[in-house]
Amino acid sequence: MSDSVKYLLPEDRIPRAWYNIAADLPQPLPPPLHPGTGKPIGPDDLSPLFPMALIAQEVSTEREVEIPGPVRDVYKLWRPAPLYRARRLEQALDTPARIFYKYEGVSPPGSHKPNTAVAQAFYNREAGVRKLSTETGAGQWGSSLAFAGAFFGIEVKVYMVRVSYQQKPYRRVLMETYGATCIPSPSNETDAGRAILAQDPDSPGSLGIAISEAVEVAAKNADTNYSLGSVLSHVLLHQTVIGIEALEQMEMAGHWPDVVIGCAGGGSNFSGLAFPFIGKKLREKKDVRVIAAEPAACPSLTRGRYAYDFGDTGHLTPLVKMHTLGSTFIPPAFHAGGLRYHGMAPMVSHLKELGLIEACAVKQNPCFEAGVAFARAEGIVPAPESTHAVRVAIDEALAAKEEGKARNILFNLSGHGHFDMQAYADYFSGKLEDRDYDEAALQAALGALPKVAA
Amino acid sequence: MSDSVKYLLPEDRIPRAWYNIAADLPQPLPPPLHPGTGKPIGPDDLSPLFPMALIAQEVSTEREVEIPGPVRDVYKLWRPAPLYRARRLEQALDTPARIFYKYEGVSPPGSHKPNTAVAQAFYNREAGVRKLSTETGAGQWGSSLAFAGAFFGIEVKVYMVRVSYQQKPYRRVLMETYGATCIPSPSNETDAGRAILAQDPDSPGSLGIAISEAVEVAAKNADTNYSLGSVLSHVLLHQTVIGIEALEQMEMAGHWPDVVIGCAGGGSNFSGLAFPFIGKKLREKKDVRVIAAEPAACPSLTRGRYAYDFGDTGHLTPLVKMHTLGSTFIPPAFHAGGLRYHGMAPMVSHLKELGLIEACAVKQNPCFEAGVAFARAEGIVPAPESTHAVRVAIDEALAAKEEGKARNILFNLSGHGHFDMQAYADYFSGKLEDRDYDEAALQAALGALPKVAA
């Protein structure tokens, strides 16, 4: 049996600039709007929450954005991340396809999230900010910002969705180990939290509620900024180190990918791998299919409406144009907590509208089945979120087998599952349900979308 | 602030041979004895349990033992492992010492254990063996053998100490994800297990009991071999890839270590890092202090007797000469489950007697304190076992500060703590006790040592 192959870049090949896909778009991204005026927002509207450097990145159309030296220095702890050819998985599937994966679980917190957490902590520190507030679902983002905060001397306060806070205590302990404070949301610390608790003292919380709390704290406290782990364009920008490295590693491997796949909740790991490949397609007419793999229980790209909507439940954020299930939509519980968000990144949504990416929705039992097959062949246990990408990659490899044709498949293994073994235990014991979203609730949430002249 | 530095070797620098310290010993290792005859055992005594290739390695005095190609191929998934200079920790301690650490948590199961698990699975597979039995405490070893079994098509059955099986379900789920079977020990499947359960139906189990069960299954079933994750010389041999890489990385860094530190339970990660450096000392008179950091609650090297003893509770193993607390000694509960073993590897014990290594015992609260300081400075959360090495490294760095003299400290960060966050939670909540072992129980266990003409 021929073994799997690792393609590793030397440290000096850590990218020196992030790739900004806005430079190559055939049509510009629709701007965020002020919910009161319905007019495009300006930098001043965002300055209570973000440092100017990040606001500038949010609207930049420069193709390359230099990565500051101190950010690259921290990246060096785990980057360049390896890219593997999964030969053993290919053999297990008996497919003529070549399967490659980029592995982002090598970061100390175990996922791709530190790529932007470190950058955001750096720019805030440069701007003199010493406190950041944020939200987290399953805890990958919160633990990554806690990690970055420790490196740049920033106090991090994380509002963690209450049900995750109670059911998944280990990523909370990880945040505390890095020195951050973690608070179950909804909390009594904010107006947004108190409003929810007044209606439902036992509210399990949601990502949308936790965002409202974190934004409120930053808006009301001059010494505190807000930090978001996905969705916004500057976050996706920081993640492009993944794809820039992967481009070079695929060249080492001597193959161009016919298909590029990432799981998509808010869209950051998907964008990080895919954007540099889409850029090649836009600039050099390279042919590549790009697939966003989303959960069937929270299918914003495949079932949502492309419309202006709020990013949070409390309606404190600007309106952004995105594929959305509605900010009042509460997805059913499932284990890939990092994918339980009502909207999709505006840039990813825009690319979908432009026909530059595809999307598909997958159920959780087939995802865990794929995750187990991957672990037994390649040795790495994927995070529940990442199993969505594994599932679609395996389906592409099986389709290639069916057709009797080779194809090159590249997917992003965005994190390891070491903190998510309860999900695997539930899968093995047959306890996992393939719950669909509630169609009536979706229609109600879509009916409640804000009215904006599009 | 100057940042920490990673020293990474290219893939072709994965060692091609393990280093066998037996070749350089001033006095040979005392042989294992047959408990019935009191005579040295021969290969035939071990052949029901191990393939001949491993039996030969157990007694080899060749300095270099070639690493088979298929083993190196699997090592390539994560090796060469990085070595770091912990500059940020140095700055946090304000020490003139240089602190280096080798990081073995990059393996898919998260510790150094796969270095030998992969080799053992390979040699068993070569010998036509399709089933392996083993034991595990906290689960690092069991999950590593499960991982290796998946790669070489071997069924793995793991007897897991019952209290860990119940309290630490996640490494058990990891084993199952890799396709292994995990059974709480003592079990009803073996005579050894049934004998314990007859006396105490609620027995929490111990590593010594679990070893008896796994050995019994291998001895009674012709199609099953036994696999051990530490203690034996061939296991320590396989771990020397750690130190061989570290020798080259310290050369890259331009420094020779004045002190080399590893945590020691059975002794395998300690040996893996230390033996190649001790070899340099023996052959080239290079000066180096080598320190084994053991838990105060199970202090075989510092409080045990150097004597012939059984490796297991059920007295199924040969007698080996080692520092032992007595095979009937049950250490108090503490979180570094991988260090809860009554004996120390015979080779490590022998080196201690020869004055080539030192040992010190540390309590668990100061270890977790060190682990948290390390995580906040360097970003990686150490396994509870590894925090023992971190503690002693920090103490050495603080001693250097006290003396106002630089020194180069190298320690082994044998694994990450992602599966052990409950231990950190207990530490933060003040629930961890610094329990000492029971002196009367120790004296009773030492009094029950087998009588052998030494």
Side-chain angles (χ1 to χ4, degrees):
Chain A
M1 183 187 290
S2 51
D3 246 296
S4 298
V5 186
K6 177 173 64 178
Y7 299 95
L8 198 57
L9 299 169
E11 192 169 272
D12 62 6
R13 298 305 302 157
I14 293 174
R16 294 180 184 276
W18 293 297
Y19 166 64
N20 183 6
I21 197 167
D24 293 319
L25 289 178
Q27 291 171 34
L29 187 70
L33 304 181
H34 192 287
T37 66
K39 296 264 159 51
I41 57 166
D44 288 349
D45 294 307
L46 295 172
S47 63
L49 299 184
F50 303 106
M52 272 301 158
L54 291 177
I55 295 172
Q57 289 178 3
E58 191 64 24
V59 295
S60 167
T61 53
E62 293 291 316
R63 183 169 293 125
E64 298 204 326
V65 177
E66 191 187 339
I67 304 177
V71 174
R72 285 185 88 240
D73 282 344
V74 180
Y75 281 175
K76 282 178 190 168
L77 282 180
W78 72 95
R79 304 206 73 85
L83 182 142
Y84 292 88
R85 168 136 178 224
R87 279 186 184 270
R88 290 175 42 87
L89 180 62
E90 292 168 18
Q91 285 153 8
L93 299 172
D94 189 26
T95 174
R98 297 181 189 90
I99 306 175
F100 299 88
Y101 65 97
K102 178 77 171 171
Y103 183 40
E104 289 291 318
V106 290
S107 77
S111 80
H112 67 292
K113 291 289 188 191
N115 294 329
T116 184
V118 170
Q120 293 189 46
F122 167 78
Y123 287 116
N124 275 289
R125 173 61 187 262
E126 285 291 287
V129 174
R130 293 303 180 99
K131 292 186 185 176
L132 282 173
S133 69
T134 196
E135 71 292 322
T136 201
Q140 285 189 332
W141 168 245
S143 56
S144 296
L145 193 67
F147 160 84
F151 275 72
F152 290 101
I154 291 182
E155 269 182 50
V156 174
K157 183 180 268 193
V158 183
Y159 291 87
M160 185 171 188
V161 175
R162 184 180 294 272
V163 62
S164 295
Y165 183 93
Q166 289 163 342
Q167 290 178 356
K168 302 186 172 189
Y170 294 139
R171 278 214 181 83
R172 162 166 64 89
V173 180
L174 182 57
M175 294 178 225
E176 291 166 353
T177 302
Y178 287 133
T181 308
C182 188
I183 294 158
S185 165
S187 78
N188 268 314
E189 296 197 352
T190 65
D191 291 342
R194 283 186 289 267
I196 299 285
L197 289 173
Q199 287 178 9
D200 178 7
D202 298 323
S203 167
S206 75
L207 213 44
I209 296 168
I211 293 176
S212 295
E213 292 207 271
V215 167
E216 182 183 326
V217 165
K220 286 189 175 163
N221 293 281
D223 67 347
T224 305
N225 265 358
Y226 171 66
S227 181
L228 188 64
S230 190
V231 178
L232 293 177
S233 293
H234 70 266
V235 179
L236 313 192
L237 173 79
H238 301 153
Q239 292 294 352
T240 59
V241 288
I242 301 171
I244 296 168
E245 288 178 4
L247 272 175
E248 189 166 344
Q249 288 164 311
M250 288 302 294
E251 236 174 79
M252 285 170 74
H255 294 288
W256 174 257
D258 301 301
V259 193
V260 172
I261 301 161
C263 65
S268 82
N269 95 77
F270 166 77
S271 304
L273 178 65
F275 283 6
F277 287 90
I278 298 173
K280 285 270 187 187
K281 182 176 187 164
L282 289 168
R283 295 192 311 280
E284 302 172 22
K285 313 285 175 219
K286 298 281 265 184
D287 197 27
V288 61
R289 284 174 60 212
V290 178
I291 308 175
E294 63 179 10
C298 193
S300 55
L301 272 176
T302 52
R303 301 295 178 92
R305 187 172 299 166
Y306 186 53
Y308 272 100
D309 194 9
F310 291 98
D312 69 324
T313 305
H315 296 181
L316 300 178
T317 71
L319 296 171
V320 291
K321 195 158 188 190
M322 61 181 177
H323 288 88
T324 178
L325 302 164
S327 66
T328 56
F329 176 79
I330 304 286
F334 58 98
H335 271 289
L339 306 182
R340 279 184 81 241
Y341 183 62
H342 69 275
M344 180 55 63
M347 186 63 84
V348 174
S349 298
H350 186 55
L351 294 174
K352 176 81 167 23
E353 288 301 300
L354 293 173
L356 288 164
I357 66 167
E358 306 165 27
C360 67
V362 280
K363 299 195 171 195
Q364 69 176 344
N365 275 301
C367 288
F368 279 100
E369 182 195 12
V372 170
F374 183 83
R376 290 182 186 178
E378 299 296 321
I380 299 169
V381 178
E385 291 81 5
S386 314
T387 62
H388 291 67
V390 180
R391 175 73 265 167
V392 176
I394 287 179
D395 289 344
E396 286 288 323
L398 294 175
K401 180 180 175 179
E402 193 73 27
E403 296 166 23
K405 282 202 280 191
R407 75 179 74 171
N408 301 323
I409 300 163
L410 169 62
F411 73 90
N412 199 11
L413 191 68
S414 56
H416 66 61
H418 290 178
F419 289 100
D420 305 283
M421 296 315 295
Q422 186 59 50
Y424 280 88
D426 291 348
Y427 168 68
F428 286 125
S429 65
K431 276 190 209 155
L432 283 192
E433 288 178 72
D434 278 332
R435 270 195 252 179
D436 223 335
Y437 63 90
D438 184 86
E439 185 65 36
L442 173 59
Q443 292 309 325
L446 291 176
L449 282 174
K451 308 289 175 249
V452 181
Chain B
M1 183 186 289
S2 50
D3 245 295
S4 298
V5 186
K6 178 173 65 178
Y7 299 96
L8 198 57
L9 298 170
E11 192 169 272
D12 63 4
R13 298 304 302 156
I14 293 174
R16 294 179 185 277
W18 293 297
Y19 166 64
N20 184 5
I21 198 168
D24 293 319
L25 290 177
Q27 290 172 35
L29 188 70
L33 304 181
H34 191 287
T37 66
K39 296 263 160 51
I41 57 167
D44 289 349
D45 294 307
L46 295 173
S47 63
L49 299 184
F50 303 106
M52 272 302 159
L54 291 177
I55 295 172
Q57 288 178 4
E58 191 63 24
V59 295
S60 166
T61 52
E62 294 291 315
R63 183 169 293 124
E64 297 205 327
V65 178
E66 191 187 339
I67 303 177
V71 174
R72 285 185 87 240
D73 282 344
V74 180
Y75 281 175
K76 282 177 189 169
L77 283 180
W78 72 94
R79 305 208 71 85
L83 182 142
Y84 292 89
R85 171 139 177 221
R87 279 187 186 268
R88 289 175 43 88
L89 180 62
E90 293 168 17
Q91 285 154 7
L93 299 172
D94 190 24
T95 174
R98 296 182 190 90
I99 305 176
F100 299 89
Y101 66 97
K102 179 76 171 171
Y103 183 40
E104 289 291 317
V106 289
S107 78
S111 79
H112 67 291
K113 292 289 187 191
N115 293 330
T116 183
V118 170
Q120 293 189 45
F122 166 77
Y123 287 116
N124 275 289
R125 172 61 186 261
E126 285 291 287
V129 175
R130 293 304 179 99
K131 292 186 185 177
L132 283 173
S133 68
T134 195
E135 71 291 323
T136 201
Q140 284 190 333
W141 168 244
S143 57
S144 297
L145 193 67
F147 160 83
F151 274 72
F152 290 101
I154 291 182
E155 271 182 48
V156 175
K157 184 180 265 191
V158 183
Y159 291 87
M160 186 171 189
V161 176
R162 184 181 294 272
V163 62
S164 294
Y165 183 93
Q166 290 163 341
Q167 291 178 355
K168 301 186 173 188
Y170 294 140
R171 278 214 180 83
R172 161 164 65 87
V173 180
L174 182 58
M175 294 179 226
E176 290 166 354
T177 302
Y178 287 134
T181 309
C182 187
I183 293 159
S185 167
S187 78
N188 268 313
E189 297 196 352
T190 65
D191 290 344
R194 284 186 289 268
I196 299 285
L197 290 173
Q199 286 178 9
D200 176 8
D202 298 322
S203 166
S206 75
L207 213 43
I209 295 168
I211 293 175
S212 295
E213 292 206 271
V215 167
E216 183 184 325
V217 165
K220 286 188 176 165
N221 293 282
D223 66 346
T224 305
N225 264 357
Y226 171 67
S227 181
L228 188 65
S230 190
V231 177
L232 294 176
S233 292
H234 70 267
V235 180
L236 313 192
L237 175 77
H238 301 153
Q239 292 294 353
T240 58
V241 287
I242 302 171
I244 296 167
E245 287 178 6
L247 272 175
E248 189 166 343
Q249 288 164 311
M250 289 302 294
E251 238 173 77
M252 284 170 75
H255 294 287
W256 174 258
D258 300 301
V259 194
V260 172
I261 300 162
C263 66
S268 81
N269 95 76
F270 166 77
S271 302
L273 178 65
F275 283 6
F277 288 90
I278 299 173
K280 286 270 187 187
K281 181 175 187 165
L282 289 167
R283 293 193 311 280
E284 302 171 21
K285 313 285 173 220
K286 298 280 267 184
D287 197 26
V288 60
R289 284 174 61 212
V290 177
I291 307 176
E294 63 178 11
C298 192
S300 56
L301 273 175
T302 52
R303 299 296 177 92
R305 188 173 299 166
Y306 186 53
Y308 273 101
D309 194 9
F310 291 98
D312 68 324
T313 306
H315 295 181
L316 300 178
T317 71
L319 296 170
V320 292
K321 195 158 187 190
M322 60 182 179
H323 289 87
T324 179
L325 301 164
S327 65
T328 56
F329 176 79
I330 305 285
F334 58 98
H335 271 290
L339 306 181
R340 280 184 80 241
Y341 183 62
H342 69 274
M344 180 54 63
M347 186 63 84
V348 174
S349 297
H350 186 54
L351 293 174
K352 175 80 167 24
E353 288 302 299
L354 293 173
L356 287 164
I357 66 167
E358 308 166 25
C360 68
V362 281
K363 299 195 172 195
Q364 68 177 344
N365 275 301
C367 287
F368 279 99
E369 181 195 13
V372 170
F374 183 84
R376 292 182 185 178
E378 299 296 321
I380 300 169
V381 178
E385 293 79 6
S386 314
T387 61
H388 290 68
V390 180
R391 177 73 264 165
V392 175
I394 287 179
D395 288 344
E396 285 288 324
L398 294 175
K401 179 180 175 179
E402 191 73 26
E403 294 165 24
K405 281 204 280 191
R407 75 179 74 170
N408 300 325
I409 300 163
L410 168 63
F411 73 91
N412 199 10
L413 191 68
S414 56
H416 66 59
H418 290 178
F419 290 99
D420 306 283
M421 296 315 295
Q422 187 59 50
Y424 280 87
D426 291 349
Y427 168 68
F428 286 125
S429 65
K431 277 190 208 156
L432 283 193
E433 288 178 73
D434 278 331
R435 272 196 250 178
D436 224 335
Y437 63 91
D438 184 86
E439 185 65 35
L442 172 61
Q443 292 309 325
L446 291 176
L449 283 174
K451 307 288 175 252
V452 181

